[in-house]
Structures are given as C-alpha cells and as structure tokens.
Amino acid sequence: MKTYREMSREELLSLKEKLDQQFADAKGKELKLDMSRGKPAMEQLDMSMGIMDVLNSEADMRNEEGVDTRNYGLMDGISEAKHLMSDMMGGIPAENVIVYGNSSLSIMYDTVSRCVTHGVMGSTPWCKLDQVKFLCPAPGYDRHFSITELFGIEMITIPMTPEGPDMDLVEKYVSEDPAVKGIWCVPKYSNPQGITYSDETVRRFASLKPAAKDFRIYWDNAYSIHDLYDEEQDELLEILSECEKAGNPDMVYEFSSLSKVTFSGAGIAAFASSKANVEETKKFMSVMTIGYDKINQLRHTRYFKNVEGLKAHMKKHAAILRPKFEAVLDVLEKELGGLGIGEWTKPRGGYFISFEAMEGCAKAIVAKCKEAGVVMTGAGATFPYGKDPRDSNIRIAPTFPNAEELAAATDLFVLCVKLASVEKLLAQ
Amino acid sequence: MKTYREMSREELLSLKEKLDQQFADAKGKELKLDMSRGKPAMEQLDMSMGIMDVLNSEADMRNEEGVDTRNYGLMDGISEAKHLMSDMMGGIPAENVIVYGNSSLSIMYDTVSRCVTHGVMGSTPWCKLDQVKFLCPAPGYDRHFSITELFGIEMITIPMTPEGPDMDLVEKYVSEDPAVKGIWCVPKYSNPQGITYSDETVRRFASLKPAAKDFRIYWDNAYSIHDLYDEEQDELLEILSECEKAGNPDMVYEFSSLSKVTFSGAGIAAFASSKANVEETKKFMSVMTIGYDKINQLRHTRYFKNVEGLKAHMKKHAAILRPKFEAVLDVLEKELGGLGIGEWTKPRGGYFISFEAMEGCAKAIVAKCKEAGVVMTGAGATFPYGKDPRDSNIRIAPTFPNAEELAAATDLFVLCVKLASVEKLLAQ
C-alpha cells in the first residue's frame, strides 16, 4: 500500500474525486453527532442509580463521627469521604485531604484565583506582579488553559513525550524563571493522550528546584481509577510522598473527583496537599463557604464503602467504554493504517483518544466533520490560547455516543482525515 | 421599679452580691450550650427528610426540558429550579436567575473575588485600585464583613434604623465617593436585628446615583420566606424591578438560598440580577465550573413543586421557631424589662434577636456567658472588623437549642447582662 505522500498528483486527484463523492453521500445522511466532550454515556449513569436509594427519609444522617450531615459543620468534609478520596488518590493520609462539592475544576479555579488575590503562604499576590507564567504540557486539557488565560497568566507550551511532559524543559523553566508559578498536569491517562507519567517523570517533578517560592504543581489526578482494562493498568507514583521525600513537601496541589464515577455534576471532589497547604486553604475556605454538601458526601461513601468499592464500580464502566475505544481504534487502524496521514494513541484508560493529523490539517478535518454533522472538540483546543502550532492535534471523545452513532461518527472522521490530507498534499 | 442607673451605690453592691451568688450557682450547673450561630434545629431538619425519597433508583432524572440531570450541561441551573428561586425572591423573571450549588455565601465570595481580579463589565479590576470601599450597615452579618476584609476592602459602618440602613448616609457616600463599590444588605429580617427595609428604603436604594460605575448593591435576600408568624409578615419590595424603573437595571446583585429551608449545606442557592449582569456572570462561570449539582436542584423542585410548596413548608418551621423566639423574648421582658440595662428586637422572621446592652458591656456579657458554659456570637462580630464602637450589640441565635436548653441559656444570659451592667455602673 502506498502512503498518500508517495502518490502521484494524478493518483491524488483521482482519490479526491472518490472521497468527494463519499463526503457528499455522508452529508446526505444528515448526521447529528457529538464527539466533542468527555461525557459519560447514559449506561454509565444508569449504573450509579443505586446510589439514589442509599439515603431515604428513614436514614441515619449522622456520619461516622456522629455529626449530623444535614446541618452546618465539618467545612472540610466528612471523615469517611476524606478517607475514600485519599485512598482513591493513591493512599494519601486523610488529614491531607479536603472534600469539596461537585467539581474539581472549581477547586482549581478557586486555587488559582486565590493565588492571584492573596499569593501563596504570604508571597506577593500575583495581581501585583508584572508577569506570571504557567507551564502547559500540550496537548492538554482545554479547561485548564481557560483558567490561566482568564487570569492573564502567560502560558508556555511544554511538549509531551510518552513518559509525560518534557522534563528537561520543565526543569529549566522552573529553576530559572521566578515568574513560573505553576504547571498544569493530568498525570494519569492524560487528557487527551492517555499518557501516564513514568516513575522517573514523577520523581523529577518531586525534585524540582523552583526559582519561585510560590511555584506549585497543579496535579489534576482526574483519571486515577479510570482504567479500561483489568490487566495492563497504568500505575502512577503517589506524588505527595515523593515530594516529601525530596524535601519539597508543599510543592503539589492535587485535585480529584467522582464526576466520572457517579454523576457528572453531582459527584464529590477533593483537594490534597501538604499539611501546611491544607491549613492555608482551610483559612480561606472559612471565609468562602459554610461548607459543601455533606449529604452527598455521605451518599457516596455509604454507597461505595471504600476504594475497593470504587474500583469494582469502575470495572463496570470499563466494560462499557472498552468496546467504544476499541471500535474507534479499529476503524482508525483499518482505514488510516499505513497511509501516513495520521497517528493516534491507544490509551489504557481515561476518556480520550488523541489523533495527530498531518501538519496543517486538524482545523480542516474538524470543519469537514462539522459540515457533515459530527461535532469534534475544536482543533487547537488542546493547546494554550487554542492555538496548536502544528495544527495537527484532534481530541476524540468516544464515551458518550452509542455503538451505532460511534461507528457513523468514526467513519465520517476517517473520511474527513483522508479528504483534508489529499487536499493538503494537492495544495503543496 | 428602679432602673439600675437610679440605684444607689449601696443598692448596686447589694445587688451584685446576690448576682455573684446566682452566677456561682449557674457555673455549678456546668452548662454546655451554644447560641452562637443561626443553625436550624434538628426538628426542622427532620421536617425535610421527605425530600430524600423524591429521587430513587427508579426516578426519571430528566428535568422539564428533557435534559439528563446526571450528566454535564445546563451550567446555570435547571429551568424549574430557576423558576422556584425566582418566585421565592419575589417574582423575578426566571431568565434573570442562575442556580448554583449549596451556598449563597460562596456566590457572594466569588462575586467579590471576580470584581477584585476582573472588575465589573470592563471596569478596572479592584486589585489595581489604591482604594476600594464597601458600606456595611451594622449591626450586620459577620460573614459578609469577613469577605470584604479578606480582600482588603475598606469597610464603612452605616447605622441601621427601623426602616433599614441610614439612607442619607448611604446616598452621600455612594454619590460622592467613587471608591465606594458596594454595600452589604440583608433586606428582609436582617441579620441580626430582624429589620425589613421599608418600601421607601428600597426605592431610595434603587434610585442611587453612584459615583462609581462598578458600584453594586449586594442584596443578600437570605430570609425572604422565613416568617415566624402567619399574619404580621413583613413584605419586601422587589428590588430588581425597582432598579429597572429607576433607570439602574444593573445596580443589584441578589443572593438567595434554601440552606435554612431544607438542609444547611445541602440546599440550593441562587443569584439574580439584570440580563447584562447575568450574562457577564455566565461568561466567568463557563471557566470556573462544569456546572452545579443539578440532581439536588431536581430533588428540591420535585419536592416543593412551587413557591407555595416552599411557603407551606416554612409555616412548619415557624411553628417550631416561634415558641423559641417567644420564650427568649419572654425571659428578656420578665427579667430585664424596665431595668434600663438593655433593649432588644422582636423580629417577625429570620434567625436572630438583636440585643443592645448598656454601652461597654457586650464583651463582658459574652465573656461571662462563656465562663458559665453558654457560647454566644462573639461581641463585636456584628460590626466591620469585629469592632462594635459602642461595645453593646449581642446577637442571640435561639433556633438550635431545644426548649430546656434555651431556657437555661436565656436565664444565664439575663443574669450575665445584669451582672455586667452592675459592674459597669459600679466602675463608673
């Protein structure tokens, strides 16, 4: 089989004619599909409905400490929820955890916002500084970049490797530039590539020597138990203890949530860090809030009981998600394998497949998909400021559509990849 | 009956001897009671337990728009919750409402924080200004003052009158000083005095001519349906429409919540404002969060159905709270009436009774209560920076203790008032 680059102009033109016809046919189907966001499928949500029966009008609403979860108090979360979330994050001591409301994204926003207005442990508030920078491993999570962009924080793209972010670059920026105050990380099954940081990467993170005292690693451990396979699961080194060993106990803010375990928007979320960081956070929380929804915390802990309960539940998710990932991967392999017009990741967990098109083709592919009724994540969204310098990365979110929709959407996607690639080659 | 001021030194000394003995006896009882916070009583919480049965594992989790409340989406709240909260706030159009998570305090914090980092509709962010001031009608709500204090906002105390804040002063500050960016208001059954702003006060608010374009009224409508009596209910003029009539549509941020309707910390909260303010808020929300807990919104709206359902529920609360308020008021009247050592409010709703001691006695009274085992809200807490210039206001929170505890706590309180007053007079 020839790669597209090996084809003659005539061959490409003839191919284009065929693809144009296929595209016209595809448009005729009037698809209306969405592969843009990492949304759970309805079957996954159904799977958690048992949690709705855990607390009824006869339930004992006191937590294991004997506190009435219906009233004020326990601002930092009920103790059983701290334990559940700390175990989920890899066995962090429960006292290093604060349990919040429904969204880890809100915790990240609040954390950055607080640094902007009040600094970190007495450092100059970032709003008083001329320049604040964040390192952004990319492709990465668009909502992280939106937060730092909103606060006018300069974002520096760090290339990803199969082991995690390019640590040579990270070390250089962090140790040399005191304006670098943070780095966004999704360390396990990264969004969108599904890469898990290697032990060496985690240790190099833990051993960073920041020029800025208020530098923190923003460790968004969003997919800690979101494995697709029973075996072949990625393992992530627990970073808080690594930081402590390396003499950097306060360097990490870790975030986690159950949004993709029970219900998106009705789960519980957590923050974990050193004792000193947790204490500082609580000081601000006491002004921000009267506390989070402890009843929902109780509901989740009574339902899952412990981290084993969580993991058993996630195996059921995997049984739904694995075939979806495999279906997309099969089509990609079958239709694009050997053509030299795209590469893609084969993640063992998380919510995404990352597709790397020929340089300069991502926007065109996404636009064509949209034209024929399939919404993909916007090209560029996985990079700071929405600008992919190579215009090549596309995030595929296969979780929400059903099998039939997924097949239709993926068929269209590969067609658009082919068409955009041919057009690109013909224009050269 | 003589007032304390009319007593001779000998009479006071003899009285003190008697009171000292009573105080020693009271300490001997080793009370452990808390009248410090506006916490609902357990019977009130029990009354809402039916809400726990509204959604079970068989429930249809789609809202009236057909959206699955278990998944992402509807960032600004489900439509039925918008309607419920808008009706509760006095009939605001639902499109002017955003429904949040569990805490209106968090919305207020976020709102102020956003002004600090990003300004208001394009105005200079407050963190870039040399001076930002808030007007603080006092006695007022300590947690409001904590927010503005945390952000280094200068707080100016505005005296309260039986009609609401001293509007002559408010108008003067707001129209003359461009550094004045906001005012904290609890317009109905104010915390702690239980005062409801008169129609004229509301209209004067709506007609303010602020020197600062980014001036907003922070209208914490916390007790809109928290009446103690079936008749004799206070009525609050709806301020958003008044502002619109007065040509100031964007001047109010209104806040509300169900924390003291169902469960403290597991209710739902709302923000209401002009279309322009709501649009601006949503723009920021889209970066802050993936949305709030829609399942809990659904639970609340299915349970109460409409504002009539809410009001019927609050009548049941009143039946529990009214006797508590009356018990405290009876003891105050019986033990302190005519002595000239204190005045107090007789609220028709809300969560507090406000006690005005002789000047310079509040701290001493609260300290004595604590010494004998009854925790009151800290003296001064109802004023900016925790400093009551007259050291006279004490907030009494009668809702949480049961009848027996309340009797014991109030008996001790009046004893401490007497004792502190005698000591004060003797020291003069």
Side-chain angles (χ1 to χ4, degrees), chain A residues 38-42 45-47 49-53 55-61 68-72 102-103 105-107 109-110 113-114 116-118 126-129 141 143 146-152 259-260 262-267 283-296 299 400, chain B residues 38-42 45-47 49-53 55-61 68-72 102-103 105-107 109-110 113-114 116-118 126-129 141 143 146-152 259-260 262-267 283-296 299 400:
Chain A
K39 285 171 72 169
M42 198 180 294
L45 303 170
D46 288 344
M47 204 167 267
M49 284 301 283
I51 202 174
M52 305 302 291
D53 295 332
L55 298 178
N56 60 27
S57 57
E58 304 296 319
D60 182 351
M61 301 297 283
D68 190 338
T69 57
R70 304 171 303 174
N71 216 325
Y72 295 113
N102 69 327
S103 156
L105 190 75
S106 305
I107 315 177
Y109 179 95
D110 286 346
S113 180
R114 195 178 77 215
V116 171
T117 55
H118 288 88
W126 296 353
C127 65
K128 305 288 181 198
L129 298 175
Y141 180 31
R143 287 182 175 275
S146 298
I147 291 174
T148 25
E149 185 169 4
L150 184 69
F151 286 102
S259 287
K260 291 192 177 79
T262 54
F263 304 125
S264 313
K283 207 179 65 189
F284 282 85
M285 278 177 81
S286 71
V287 178
M288 289 177 67
T289 180
I290 47 81
Y292 295 91
D293 185 342
K294 295 186 294 294
I295 291 181
N296 206 33
R299 187 179 283 119
F400 186 70
Chain B
K39 285 171 72 168
M42 198 180 292
L45 303 170
D46 288 344
M47 204 167 268
M49 284 302 283
I51 202 173
M52 305 302 291
D53 294 332
L55 299 177
N56 60 28
S57 57
E58 303 297 320
D60 182 350
M61 301 297 284
D68 190 337
T69 57
R70 304 169 304 174
N71 216 327
Y72 295 113
N102 69 327
S103 156
L105 190 76
S106 305
I107 315 178
Y109 179 95
D110 286 346
S113 180
R114 196 179 75 215
V116 171
T117 55
H118 288 88
W126 297 352
C127 66
K128 305 289 182 198
L129 298 175
Y141 180 30
R143 286 181 175 276
S146 299
I147 291 174
T148 25
E149 184 170 4
L150 184 69
F151 286 102
S259 288
K260 291 190 176 81
T262 54
F263 303 125
S264 313
K283 208 179 65 188
F284 282 84
M285 276 177 83
S286 71
V287 179
M288 288 177 68
T289 180
I290 47 82
Y292 294 91
D293 184 343
K294 294 187 295 294
I295 292 181
N296 205 33
R299 188 179 284 119
F400 185 70

Side-chain angles (χ1 to χ4, degrees), chain A residues 189 193-196 226-229 231-235 325 346-350:
Chain A
Y189 301 135
Q193 293 171 299
I195 291 169
T196 297
H226 301 61
D227 307 290
L228 286 172
Y229 298 92
E231 289 154 30
E232 299 181 77
Q233 296 184 352
D234 290 358
E235 292 290 338
F325 275 75
K346 298 178 188 67
R348 289 200 280 246

Side-chain angles (χ1 to χ4, degrees), chain B residues 381-406:
Chain B
T382 53
F383 282 79
Y385 308 105
K387 286 180 190 151
D388 176 357
R390 297 184 67 246
D391 183 27
S392 64
N393 185 254
I394 298 172
R395 185 178 81 167
I396 301 175
T399 56
F400 185 70
N402 63 33
E404 193 183 345
E405 292 166 341
L406 197 60

Side-chain angles (χ1 to χ4, degrees), chain A residues 352-376:
Chain A
F352 304 103
I353 292 165
S354 180
F355 186 84
E356 205 64 31
M358 277 173 50
E359 186 162 351
C361 288
K363 275 188 191 156
I365 294 167
V366 170
K368 282 183 198 298
C369 284
K370 193 177 176 187
E371 196 186 330
V374 173
V375 179
M376 308 290 299

